[in-house]
Amino acid sequence: MQLPKIKIIFAALSLCLMAVTESRAQDEKSLPFDERDWDWMNRHYKQVLDEVLPLEQKPGYVVSFRMHREVHTDAPEYSFSFIKDYQGNPIEVIVRAADTASLYDQLMALHRKDPAESIERIKKRLKFKEWRLTERNCPAVAGMFERYKKLSFSVPPSGSVVILHPVIHSFWINGDTARMRLEIYDEEHPLIVWAKEARRLLEACAPNKNS
């Protein structure tokens, strides 16, 4: 049985209205920040990122990696550091990741809830996970460290490609003969390919992965 045309039109208008209402509801979640919120975040986010997910570690042979994304703040930040001291101890890996929501979104929500609250108090309320692995409880650790040492890569050229809102892959490397800090956007760069594989293997060893 065919519906009268007027009912079909009414149904179509209802669906359009629902879509517009849903779209406005989504916009309302992302738009109500004023200039002061953004200024506050610009002053504090990078500092919090460096404190909660630090790249620089204690002395030794260190390979640290961290990723976060500009603009798309719902992407949880993540980091790991391979640390080999010069005392013959097992290689240790420290892994940290934002929990429940990204650090950026957590910071913004806590600040907007109480704009007068200090950044020091807010930092204590941020949720993130940390676990530590060694080559003893995660065999992939030694293998990935050796794979890193065999990598061959050059410093990426600047200004050749424009990438909007990239995933920022940060590295801090303190090796036997050099120290460097890099930010790389090219997903095909050997360091990023290595870091993604290392993350996959480290997460397979993580305790309480589903907690």
Side-chain angles (χ1 to χ4, degrees), residues 45-196:
Y45 176 65
K46 184 61 168 59
Q47 169 201 348
V48 169
L49 195 63
D50 284 339
E51 289 185 21
V52 178
L53 276 67
L55 287 171
E56 298 187 23
Q57 299 289 343
K58 59 189 177 184
Y61 197 139
V62 180
V63 182
S64 290
F65 165 72
R66 183 175 70 205
M67 63 177 292
H68 70 285
R69 190 169 188 183
E70 291 185 339
V71 179
H72 299 278
T73 61
D74 58 330
E77 301 88 346
Y78 171 91
S79 72
F80 65 66
S81 293
F82 281 73
I83 304 170
K84 181 175 177 57
D85 66 20
Y86 297 113
Q87 309 301 318
N89 293 313
I91 301 168
E92 181 183 38
V93 181
I94 303 172
V95 183
R96 285 189 169 189
D99 189 17
T100 307
S102 70
L103 296 176
Y104 191 102
D105 284 356
Q106 290 183 57
L107 271 175
M108 180 66 91
L110 290 168
H111 169 65
R112 295 186 71 242
K113 186 176 181 180
D114 182 3
E117 187 171 19
S118 71
I119 183 63
E120 295 304 320
R121 292 188 62 183
I122 287 177
K123 284 190 294 187
K124 295 176 182 178
R125 297 166 60 192
L126 294 174
K127 297 179 180 179
F128 63 92
K129 294 181 179 180
E130 175 184 304
W131 62 92
R132 294 172 181 247
L133 304 168
T134 71
E135 53 192 308
R136 290 175 178 169
N137 58 21
C138 183
V141 167
M144 290 309 299
F145 188 72
E146 289 303 314
R147 281 176 60 178
Y148 160 76
K149 291 168 66 175
K150 295 176 181 177
L151 284 180
S152 177
F153 60 88
S154 58
V155 176
S158 60
S160 56
V161 178
V162 176
I163 304 174
L164 294 177
H165 315 318
V167 176
I168 300 175
H169 304 85
S170 302
F171 293 86
W172 187 80
I173 299 167
N174 185 33
D176 292 327
T177 59
R179 176 182 296 174
M180 57 184 163
R181 183 165 184 155
L182 301 170
E183 283 191 356
I184 306 174
Y185 307 146
D186 178 9
E187 299 286 337
E188 302 302 318
H189 190 279
L191 266 177
I192 295 180
V193 174
W194 171 83
K196 287 181 176 180

Side-chain angles (χ1 to χ4, degrees), residues 5-19:
K5 288 185 178 179
I6 190 168
K7 288 187 177 181
I8 295 175
I9 293 172
F10 179 76
L13 288 173
S14 297
L15 289 173
C16 289
L17 181 60
M18 289 172 61

